[in-house]
Amino acid sequence: MEEQYRMYLAYLEDLRKQLESLTALAKEKPPAVAADDLAALNDIMKREQVLSLSFRGLEQTRARLQKELGLEKARLSQLPQYVPESMREQARQIAVSLKVQYMEYQKASTAAREVLEKGIQEVESTVRAMGGTFELDGAGYDESGPQTPQSMRTDFRA
């Protein structure tokens, strides 16, 4: 049983590292948006997708380990009281570091989302200023897509 607890603590540490990587990617987004570097932003999003796939695997591991240990309803902060005495300090440290990393990720993710939303608003206002439109139909943009601004259209009838 002690080996299963070691595996669970190792899983939590792996989760923290993955979250740390995701946090680093979220912190890369604002500079890419500020520099109007769509290639860098696309690269960041691709790396996020790769990480999201690894999170799926981690979730399966979590569910299996928690079931084996009877920890399905236990909160992370309660983990030290469930592990063997010899592992309590390690469990407490891992729980605290994971919580801190999650809070850091939330902060970085919120900042990145706000910068991205601002960038999208700027693009929309520029297109509108040039005479284009963005019509929402509830599920996304109008099927006809954004209209080319009048100043950018060419009359080929001449």
Side-chain angles (χ1 to χ4, degrees):
M1 188 71 138
E2 194 167 305
E3 183 58 32
Q4 289 174 312
Y5 281 109
R6 281 193 217 308
M7 288 174 54
Y8 187 63
L9 295 179
Y11 153 78
L12 291 174
E13 181 58 25
D14 193 30
L15 179 61
R16 187 200 60 76
K17 288 177 183 175
Q18 293 287 353
L19 200 52
E20 185 175 44
S21 297
L22 197 57
T23 301
L25 288 175
K27 288 179 178 180
E28 288 180 32
K29 285 181 184 178
V33 171
D36 293 327
D37 191 347
L38 294 178
L41 189 59
N42 188 44
D43 180 60
I44 293 165
M45 293 171 70
K46 285 180 181 178
R47 289 185 285 156
E48 281 181 330
Q49 287 176 337
V50 170
L51 273 175
S52 73
L53 292 175
S54 70
F55 275 107
R56 287 184 188 169
L58 287 173
E59 174 58 22
Q60 291 172 349
T61 300
R62 180 201 60 80
R64 179 182 55 79
L65 288 171
Q66 283 185 330
K67 185 175 182 179
E68 288 173 6
L69 296 169
L71 298 174
E72 295 101 326
K73 296 184 181 184
R75 295 177 166 265
L76 185 61
S77 61
Q78 299 170 332
L79 181 62
Q81 70 191 32
Y82 290 100
V83 301
E85 181 74 36
S86 62
M87 299 176 161
R88 287 200 176 144
E89 182 57 27
Q90 181 186 9
R92 188 193 64 74
Q93 288 176 357
I94 289 173
V96 167
S97 68
L98 186 56
K99 182 179 177 182
V100 167
Q101 186 60 54
Y102 181 72
M103 290 169 55
E104 187 177 331
Y105 167 71
Q106 281 186 313
K107 192 167 92 173
S109 177
T110 298
R113 186 186 73 244
E114 289 172 356
V115 167
L116 287 167
E117 287 173 353
K118 183 180 179 195
I120 290 169
Q121 290 170 354
E122 288 175 7
V123 167
E124 287 178 347
S125 69
T126 300
V127 169
R128 283 190 181 104
M130 296 174 77
T133 61
F134 283 96
E135 299 295 328
L136 295 176
D137 66 357
Y141 287 113
D142 181 346
E143 287 180 9
S144 63
Q147 301 299 312
T148 306
Q150 190 67 35
S151 63
M152 293 176 68
R153 295 181 188 167
T154 303
D155 185 357
F156 290 102
R157 293 179 289 173

